[in-house]
Amino acid sequence: MQYSDRILKTPSSFIRNILKVTDAEDVISFAGGLPNPISFPIDALKTSIDHAITTNGSRLFQYSSTQGYAPLREYIAAKYQRLHGLDIQADDVFITTGSQQALELLGKVLINKDDGIIIEEPGYLGAIQAFTLSEPTFHGVTLENDGLNLEELEQALQQPNVKCVYTVPNFQNPTGLTYSKEKREQICEIVAKYDVVLIEDDPYGELRFQGEALPYIGAGKLANSVLLGSFSKTVTPGMRLGFLITKNKELMQYIETAKQASDLHTNIFAQYVIYDYLANNDYMEHVQKIIGLYKEQSQTMLDAMAAFFPAHVDYTKPDGGMFIWATLNNGASALEVFHQAMEQKVAFVPGDPFYTNKTNVNTLRLNYTNATPEVIREGIQRLASIL
Amino acid sequence: MQYSDRILKTPSSFIRNILKVTDAEDVISFAGGLPNPISFPIDALKTSIDHAITTNGSRLFQYSSTQGYAPLREYIAAKYQRLHGLDIQADDVFITTGSQQALELLGKVLINKDDGIIIEEPGYLGAIQAFTLSEPTFHGVTLENDGLNLEELEQALQQPNVKCVYTVPNFQNPTGLTYSKEKREQICEIVAKYDVVLIEDDPYGELRFQGEALPYIGAGKLANSVLLGSFSKTVTPGMRLGFLITKNKELMQYIETAKQASDLHTNIFAQYVIYDYLANNDYMEHVQKIIGLYKEQSQTMLDAMAAFFPAHVDYTKPDGGMFIWATLNNGASALEVFHQAMEQKVAFVPGDPFYTNKTNVNTLRLNYTNATPEVIREGIQRLASIL
């Protein structure tokens, strides 16, 4: 059997593979990226399931439209109008099987083999995976504490056949970093000079536990802006509902064709249920509960790191989201440290899979959303003992 | 904006586009391919939703495994062991977002640009769409009343870089035709001589209303056999649950990587619910109800065609499934007839989108699963008046 070039190039998920090792009961794992189950409003969803079925009957179970359930798209459009002042209509919103699928569809629609994709370095490994299926040339641009390095960005944009810039402006995965207001404006100005799509992937934006919400980089400003959102971090990831927003009608039409060919349409049962939940519950109050929990967990981990980590370890201090990023300034390989850590029954994700062209890096990702304060402290202490 | 070559080549769904025209209330439409809502066991699914949530809680809402929910995969494996005598284990089963996604994943994993795909002519347009994203060379092989034309098949297999043969052996879409036992054996023998994947897509196989169930062509016999199945035609299409079965471990591993990169995993809520439904209900009894209905609808349509259609129209007489295929032997273009039919307020799908290299064909597809006997008779009479 001969397989395709692109599948031979595509990394299988490093994280999913190490999770198989780190799942043992006596391991304290900061490796995952799972939302805390508190973020699933199960009772309210049960009520919405009953209500949606009673109201709409067989429509929840039949084939449905490729672009997604109209009332859900209207809800999303209205929310972005209200909260972000963006001129978004329902037809600018497209429902996807999680925002992971939105990334893969964008790759399909935009990228020929060897076309350029600009990506944060380090960047979201799910995006690296999704885009790799289109066999692009990645141009990594250093992610600094306040956003992309502008000189590198400008240089990368001048490379041949660059089609898009991929960013996670709020509480980035893997670093937890957030772009500053100034950097957002500067990036918008630079990107506006080129015929490229600016993708802003924002699964964590609502989970801000300190500081002020900032305007998007390109949404509402750039003609080729694409904004991605998700219900995975605030309602349920298991139902796989994400969405893509763009005012570019031609791009939207190609996304629709790609989606039809890929899986016809997103689970319509889930779309009715989530819409009913959003329409009949205080979503913002629910999000506040998640924020309260993650803020405490994040602070507990940062306090433990301050208390126990040696001085040669630097780390980010996120204003929201789910991750802290640590750098081992003694030059140790995080992958080697990972194996030592597993002997101490504590796990994290070594930085390697977040880079498109580096291995044996000295950086690592820690997730704090799925452990109690006691367990977080114990885990950080174990980790500190081998750093 | 420059889009990718492959999206520019991919047809947007002809059917989805004409459905927008044929959806008007006064049109009798035989154009769709929707299961009758009787096939959705809504009350039993509601019970299963409650039961699955009560039993498994937050696991229905959290991220989950890429290959799919293990008990559902075990159920499917056991069913294929029991009903088809195939040596299928849970690890040979992979859950997809409808079987449409399985087609797209197979394209990703197997096809480099210009590699060959052998496909029935006429063939399932969703497969043509899904595969086109991989920019293959299609080799159409005539679908005869008892299956693929064997000489054309052998010739096509000798073309360079042919990677797979795509078949719908039972009640094919669009023709309603079923491969004979002899043709199945002959095709298996021929395909066995080549290093290709034989894909058997079987969404309708359980909906047989006459004749005897036949063994698969390659499943259980060929090392590179892939069998596709779906819950869309017997439980619910809206929840988008399909599956892929193969004993080829290497192929399965690449499918898993492609799926991770495409949408991480299939909606796990739906997997728990459908599994609970299958485990706690008499599925075969439910399928019998659908069969009873479709048998009557199919017979009504065939009787009306016999009574009203002119002699120059030939048509298939399906033993199951959802479609009848008609040929206008006076050489009329089905696309032109379609426009005349719409004036008479009756709709069907002209044959064009089911071919990879023909237009203005004299064939058309009729669906009978979504109309009452009275409406079927009236629609066929209207159609007959312009043929």
Side-chain angles (χ1 to χ4, degrees), chain A residues 132-284:
Chain A
T132 299
L133 286 172
S134 298
E135 302 178 86
T137 299
F138 284 111
H139 302 290
V141 168
T142 305
L143 182 63
E144 301 172 334
N145 283 331
D146 61 351
L148 290 172
N149 176 298
L150 300 181
E151 271 177 42
E152 289 178 31
L153 173 63
E154 187 104 42
Q155 267 175 11
L157 282 163
Q158 287 162 12
Q159 300 305 306
N161 302 318
V162 170
K163 292 294 188 66
C164 61
V165 180
Y166 173 75
T167 63
V168 183
N170 298 313
F171 330 127
Q172 195 242 15
N173 184 352
T175 63
L177 292 170
T178 295
Y179 288 46
S180 70
K181 190 156 183 296
E182 296 66 37
K183 267 278 168 86
R184 289 173 195 238
E185 289 163 2
Q186 290 165 322
I187 291 168
C188 184
E189 262 176 53
I190 292 171
V191 169
K193 297 185 290 180
Y194 299 86
D195 185 24
V196 296
V197 173
L198 177 72
I199 304 168
E200 296 183 81
D201 187 3
D202 192 29
Y204 314 109
E206 292 179 308
L207 301 178
R208 177 181 281 279
F209 37 75
Q210 60 206 12
E212 208 183 340
L214 298 172
Y216 285 110
I217 300 171
K221 299 170 201 124
L222 299 172
N224 294 330
S225 149
V226 171
L227 196 55
L228 306 183
S230 171
F231 297 105
S232 291
K233 306 305 187 286
T234 53
V235 186
T236 163
M239 286 194 179
R240 313 298 306 117
L241 280 193
F243 51 91
L244 178 153
I245 299 175
T246 185
K247 303 285 290 181
N248 181 326
K249 298 289 177 200
E250 190 180 38
L251 175 60
M252 189 62 106
Q253 191 195 315
Y254 287 124
I255 290 285
E256 184 171 352
T257 298
K259 169 81 178 170
Q260 279 176 0
S262 298
D263 64 6
L264 300 183
H265 67 80
T266 300
N267 187 309
I268 185 65
F269 179 92
Q271 294 183 66
Y272 270 96
V273 168
I274 300 258
Y275 169 71
D276 191 278
Y277 166 75
L278 295 167
N280 296 306
N281 289 274
D282 189 338
Y283 173 73
M284 296 315 276

Side-chain angles (χ1 to χ4, degrees), chain A residues 4 6 13 63 108 134 233, chain B residues 4 6 63 108 134 233:
Chain A
S4 69
R6 61 186 181 284
S13 173
Y63 283 112
K108 273 191 183 119
S134 298
K233 306 305 187 286
Chain B
S4 68
R6 62 185 179 284
Y63 283 113
K108 274 193 182 116
S134 297
K233 306 305 186 286

Side-chain angles (χ1 to χ4, degrees), chain A residues 306-354:
Chain A
F308 302 121
F309 272 17
H312 65 261
V313 182
D314 279 343
Y315 46 88
T316 58
K317 296 178 182 65
D319 288 332
M322 299 171 52
F323 304 109
I324 293 170
W325 184 248
T327 304
L328 311 174
N329 285 318
N330 63 350
S333 153
L335 198 55
E336 282 175 29
V337 174
F338 171 77
H339 294 297
Q340 297 162 33
M342 282 305 293
E343 287 172 22
Q344 302 301 317
K345 308 281 185 192
V346 59
F348 56 82
V349 183
D352 290 27
F354 301 104

Side-chain angles (χ1 to χ4, degrees), chain A residues 4-6 13 16 35 61-64 66 100 104 108-109 111-112 134 233 236-238 260-261 267-268, chain B residues 4-6 13 16 35 61-64 66 100 104 108-109 111-112 134 233 236-239 260-261 268:
Chain A
S4 69
D5 296 338
R6 61 186 181 284
S13 173
R16 293 200 155 227
F61 301 93
Q62 187 56 283
Y63 283 112
S64 187
T66 299
Q100 180 72 21
E104 209 265 328
K108 273 191 183 119
V109 162
I111 306 298
N112 284 323
S134 298
K233 306 305 187 286
T236 163
Q260 279 176 0
N267 187 309
I268 185 65
Chain B
S4 68
D5 295 339
R6 62 185 179 284
S13 171
R16 293 200 155 229
F61 301 93
Q62 187 57 284
Y63 283 113
S64 187
T66 299
Q100 181 71 21
E104 208 265 328
K108 274 193 182 116
V109 161
I111 306 298
N112 284 324
S134 297
K233 306 305 186 286
T236 163
M239 286 194 177
Q260 279 176 1
I268 184 65

